[in-house]
Amino acid sequence: MTLRRKRYWFTVSTSLVLIVLFSVVTIQSFSYFSQDTIREQARMTAEMLRISLTEQMRTGVISERETLFKRLRTIPGLVDVRVMRGEPVIQQFGPGIDGEKPRLDMEKRVLATGQWEEQFVQEKGNTIYRITIPYIASSTTSLNCLQCHNVPEGSINGAVTLGFSLDNMQHTELLAISPIILLLIVFGLCLGYFLKKLFQPMVATVEQLKSVVENAETGDFSGRISAASKDEIGDIALHTNTLMAALEQSIGKISSRIQSLGEHTRREGDRNNLLEHTVRIVDEMVGATRFKLAVENDLDLDEIYARLHLVLKQHFGLKHFSYYQVENNGKNLKPVFVEGLAQPSELWCDPEILVNAEVCRSKRIAACVSSVDAPQICNRFCGNAKGMGELVHICIPVMLSGHVGGVLQIVLTEDERRQHADIEQTAQLYLNQVAPVIEARHLMQSLKNTAMRDPMTGLYNRRFIEDYIDSLTASILRQKSNLGILMCDVDFFKQVNDNYGHDVGDQIIKGLAEIIKKAIRASDLAIRFGGEEFMILLPDTDAEGCMLLAERIRLALKENIFQTPQGPLKKTLSIGFAVFPQDGKGFWECVKYSDIALYHAKEHGRDQSVMFTAEMWTGTDQY
């Protein structure tokens, strides 16, 4: 029940209770006064009747007492007069006339007890007040009853019953009470009006306060309260207005600054909810900061991308999305993860973006591309052909040192678009936090690759072997497999540098590196071991496999013709190989054995592939 309704019912009930209470008290007072008045009249009449009967007895005309009763009955309002003889009088003078015998139970009780009684009865539609008063024999009063009656002191000589009609009295009572009741009604109405005016400022202030607080709960602090009075109620209104103004200014300033940082827009559901919008954006910013702290401690890019995938799926609740990493100096896109499609090889976009990154609109313009407000903005999006209904996509570039280093693609249904109305801004928060970490990891990886790769050939260098050989050999031993170790050296390479120059020598080294790259498997490792010497590591390869690959590389170089300023040039290659752990218990021991086999090939005519045998080792001790 509202306060206004409570005020209404309080005013009405208070007025009615006071009116009814005063009316009841007035009516009861009049009733009590009327009853007391008629009771006194009855006693006076009874006493006058007793005096009249006594005089008739003294004058000897007691036999005419019935005439006296008839005359008394003619008095207005007196409808019944009867005298009953008591037992002592009956014994002395006889029972008297028929009308002098008790007829009512009340009369019999009065003659028996000597106590007066009264009653109100309805007779023929009239209200009758009837009272029976006893006559007690006494010699001490002005009329000495014992002069005529031979009875003891205090005997009940008789009783008189008087009946009075109350109709006229009730009518008179009603006429007397009506003005009072009317005054009470007027008083109640005035009281109600006064209470209404008294409570009206309080009710109006409370109603406005309720509206202001309800709006504040939804983030709208623009509500104000009108001061309806200059008392404490008015002070409440003024203090509330001051508080709301301070909240509107402070929260609004915070929200504006947050929006200026991230260009965050409000959702449809909280467009007027400044507080909820601000709290939600602050929560997202805190979450993004915590996300950055987490990825900063991740080991490598794989862990970072796995965490980003988890945030998109669990925190944002997205079901369809993908992330592409820009590679090969911005020429290609590589899918890091794709969510929401049946096959792992499927993409939300035309696969052409993988081989030509410029086809991707977001990568090309280095800006967000959204079909939410611009349908068909990118003709490379293929999501609507997946049988999932009408979809929209949002592609957000990840900027690394001023260029696009990756692209996050978010795909939404119509319901998801309404649910994630600000997904572009909130996702951008997380991408802004993770971008520096991704860039740092890329830089570290680039530096690491630079330190472990030969800049001329792009092959791994000797440092790579020193850092990773322990894990590689441990894997070979754990799998109980073999590792083929090939050592390759260009024949008479010094003559090339001396006769043709170092540029041609570099050309020979680069050409051999390309031949090796084309010949080996993806799981094989090619290392420029030093100068014109190359090492090739072949996991899960026995001696026969090593020989096959060695011959393929040797023949490919032998058949290759290098074009030089001095004319065509052909070179040959000598290769020695050993198998770990078949030929030796240690990796570097087998490297030494491969090197021995290589020198054996050099010493026996060059341009050949030689497998290490125990006879080649001429040392007196084990390696």
Side-chain angles (χ1 to χ4, degrees):
M1 183 181 293
T2 62
L3 186 61
R4 183 178 295 274
R5 188 173 295 275
K6 288 181 179 179
R7 182 203 65 179
Y8 170 78
W9 284 112
F10 174 78
T11 303
V12 172
S13 60
T14 301
S15 301
L16 289 177
V17 167
L18 290 176
I19 292 172
V20 172
L21 182 62
F22 287 153
S23 299
V24 170
V25 171
T26 302
I27 293 173
Q28 290 296 327
S29 299
F30 269 95
S31 177
Y32 175 78
F33 175 77
S34 300
Q35 291 179 13
D36 189 65
T37 299
I38 198 170
R39 188 178 295 115
E40 290 300 320
Q41 289 178 355
R43 290 177 179 175
M44 292 175 58
T45 302
E47 186 62 22
M48 292 175 60
L49 182 58
R50 186 170 72 86
I51 293 172
S52 298
L53 291 176
T54 302
E55 290 299 323
Q56 284 184 344
M57 289 180 64
R58 292 175 61 184
T59 57
V61 291
I62 190 63
S63 59
E64 298 179 1
R65 60 184 179 276
E66 185 64 29
T67 302
L68 175 62
F69 296 158
K70 290 180 180 180
R71 290 178 179 176
L72 288 174
R73 293 188 186 100
T74 61
I75 297 175
L78 185 62
V79 296
D80 188 16
V81 179
R82 289 188 299 107
V83 177
M84 285 76 61
R85 290 188 176 189
E87 191 63 29
V89 176
I90 292 176
Q91 292 178 1
Q92 183 179 0
F93 297 106
I97 60 179
D98 293 337
E100 295 178 347
K101 295 179 180 180
R103 293 181 295 182
L104 302 176
D105 293 337
M106 180 179 67
E107 295 171 343
K108 294 177 181 179
R109 290 193 299 271
V110 170
L111 290 175
T113 62
Q115 301 293 328
W116 66 275
E117 291 188 20
E118 61 183 353
Q119 63 179 194
F120 294 88
V121 295
Q122 290 289 333
E123 294 183 358
K124 298 180 181 180
N126 295 328
T127 302
I128 304 298
Y129 171 74
R130 185 174 280 112
I131 183 171
T132 300
I133 303 174
Y135 287 146
I136 308 299
S138 174
S139 59
T140 60
T141 60
S142 58
L143 293 177
N144 188 358
C145 299
L146 301 183
Q147 293 178 354
C148 301
H149 297 282
N150 185 20
V151 295
E153 182 78 19
S155 298
I156 301 173
N157 289 341
V160 58
T161 296
L162 300 174
F164 297 90
S165 174
L166 300 181
D167 289 345
N168 291 333
M169 183 178 293
Q170 290 177 343
H171 180 68
T172 302
E173 181 180 337
L174 182 61
L175 292 177
I177 292 176
S178 296
I180 297 176
I181 294 178
L182 182 60
L183 288 176
L184 289 175
I185 293 174
V186 173
F187 168 76
L189 294 175
C190 293
L191 177 63
Y193 179 78
F194 171 76
L195 292 176
K196 178 182 178 181
K197 287 295 184 181
L198 178 64
F199 291 126
Q200 187 170 359
M202 183 187 300
V203 173
T205 301
V206 170
E207 288 179 344
Q208 293 182 62
L209 180 61
K210 177 185 176 184
S211 176
V212 169
V213 172
E214 287 177 347
N215 291 336
E217 289 178 352
T218 62
D220 181 8
F221 301 101
S222 61
R224 298 294 184 268
I225 301 176
S226 301
S229 60
K230 297 182 179 180
D231 52 10
E232 290 83 352
I233 300 299
D235 292 340
I236 292 176
L238 293 177
H239 291 320
T240 302
N241 291 340
T242 302
L243 175 62
M244 299 306 294
L247 288 174
E248 183 179 26
Q249 183 178 7
S250 58
I251 299 298
K253 186 180 295 183
I254 293 173
S255 180
S256 298
R257 290 179 177 178
I258 290 175
Q259 292 187 49
S260 66
L261 289 175
E263 299 182 354
H264 299 283
T265 58
R266 301 188 194 178
R267 297 175 179 174
E268 295 181 4
D270 61 2
R271 187 162 298 279
N272 296 319
N273 195 332
L274 180 62
L275 180 60
E276 183 177 335
H277 171 71
T278 303
V279 170
R280 182 170 53 81
I281 296 303
V282 170
D283 287 343
E284 291 293 351
M285 294 180 70
V286 172
T289 303
R290 291 175 177 172
F291 174 71
K292 180 182 179 182
L293 295 175
V295 297
E296 283 178 343
N297 295 317
D298 286 337
L299 181 62
D300 51 28
L301 285 172
D302 290 338
E303 288 190 7
I304 294 174
Y305 289 140
R307 191 176 301 277
L308 178 60
H309 180 274
L310 193 65
V311 166
L312 293 170
K313 191 172 184 179
Q314 294 188 356
H315 177 71
F316 290 106
L318 300 176
K319 299 178 180 178
H320 315 101
F321 55 88
S322 57
Y323 185 86
Y324 300 93
Q325 178 176 292
V326 179
E327 293 187 338
N328 197 14
N329 294 324
K331 297 179 181 179
N332 308 116
L333 292 181
K334 174 187 175 182
V336 178
F337 52 76
V338 179
E339 185 71 25
L341 293 174
Q343 300 298 327
S345 59
E346 285 189 88
L347 299 176
W348 291 104
C349 287
D350 189 336
E352 186 181 356
I353 65 173
L354 303 183
V355 295
N356 184 6
E358 292 302 308
V359 172
C360 175
R361 186 182 185 91
S362 181
K363 192 273 174 189
R364 184 174 67 254
I365 67 175
C368 181
V369 175
S370 173
S371 66
V372 174
D373 297 321
Q376 308 298 326
I377 189 172
C378 181
N379 57 8
R380 300 296 177 175
F381 177 66
C382 303
N384 291 323
K386 304 295 183 181
M388 299 181 184
E390 193 68 22
L391 301 175
V392 297
H393 65 95
I394 302 171
C395 295
I396 308 172
V398 179
M399 304 304 296
L400 306 178
S401 298
H403 66 274
V404 179
V407 178
L408 173 64
Q409 182 183 45
I410 300 173
V411 181
L412 303 168
T413 63
E414 186 62 28
D415 291 339
E416 290 171 340
R417 183 192 68 79
R418 289 191 293 267
Q419 182 181 356
H420 302 285
D422 59 349
I423 186 62
E424 178 181 338
Q425 292 79 20
T426 51
Q428 187 71 62
L429 269 177
Y430 283 77
L431 292 179
N432 290 341
Q433 297 296 329
V434 77
V437 183
I438 293 177
E439 185 174 6
R441 293 294 187 275
H442 274 301
L443 180 59
M444 291 175 60
Q445 188 67 40
S446 177
L447 292 174
K448 192 172 184 179
N449 289 337
T450 301
M452 292 187 177
R453 286 189 180 273
D454 174 54
M456 181 185 295
T457 63
L459 299 179
Y460 290 113
N461 58 21
R462 186 164 184 168
R463 182 177 176 181
F464 173 81
I465 292 298
E466 293 172 349
D467 287 349
Y468 286 94
I469 196 57
D470 290 340
S471 60
L472 179 59
T473 55
S475 175
I476 294 296
L477 293 174
R478 185 172 57 253
Q479 298 175 8
K480 297 180 179 180
S481 183
N482 297 318
L483 177 66
I485 304 172
L486 278 65
M487 299 298 292
C488 310
D489 188 87
V490 179
D491 297 331
F492 301 111
F493 182 75
K494 186 176 183 302
Q495 295 178 4
V496 175
N497 287 331
D498 294 341
N499 299 330
Y500 291 88
H502 288 280
D503 290 341
V504 175
D506 292 343
Q507 183 181 354
I508 300 298
I509 296 297
K510 292 179 182 179
L512 176 57
E514 291 300 320
I515 290 173
I516 293 174
K517 289 179 184 178
K518 293 178 181 179
I520 64 176
R521 301 168 300 180
S523 60
D524 299 334
L525 297 174
I527 301 101
R528 186 181 181 189
F529 205 65
E532 72 279 12
E533 191 174 12
F534 292 82
M535 174 189 288
I536 303 173
L537 301 180
L538 307 175
D540 305 321
T541 305
D542 56 12
E544 182 180 357
C546 291
M547 180 60 77
L548 290 175
L549 179 64
E551 285 297 295
R552 187 183 309 135
I553 295 173
R554 185 184 67 81
L555 293 174
L557 179 63
K558 185 176 182 178
E559 295 173 357
N560 188 66
I561 300 175
F562 294 95
Q563 300 297 329
T564 70
Q566 291 83 359
L569 176 65
K570 298 182 69 174
K571 294 301 294 181
T572 60
L573 185 69
S574 296
I575 302 175
F577 64 89
V579 178
F580 169 81
Q582 177 179 322
D583 294 326
K585 295 181 179 180
F587 171 78
W588 293 109
E589 178 183 357
C590 292
V591 172
K592 179 62 176 178
Y593 294 158
S594 298
D595 205 35
I596 291 172
L598 172 62
Y599 283 112
H600 187 276
K602 293 281 189 180
E603 292 173 354
H604 292 80
R606 292 182 172 83
D607 190 21
Q608 59 181 306
S609 299
V610 176
M611 180 180 68
F612 172 78
T613 61
E615 291 78 11
M616 296 179 186
W617 175 247
T618 59
T620 57
D621 298 325
Q622 291 185 346
Y623 179 79

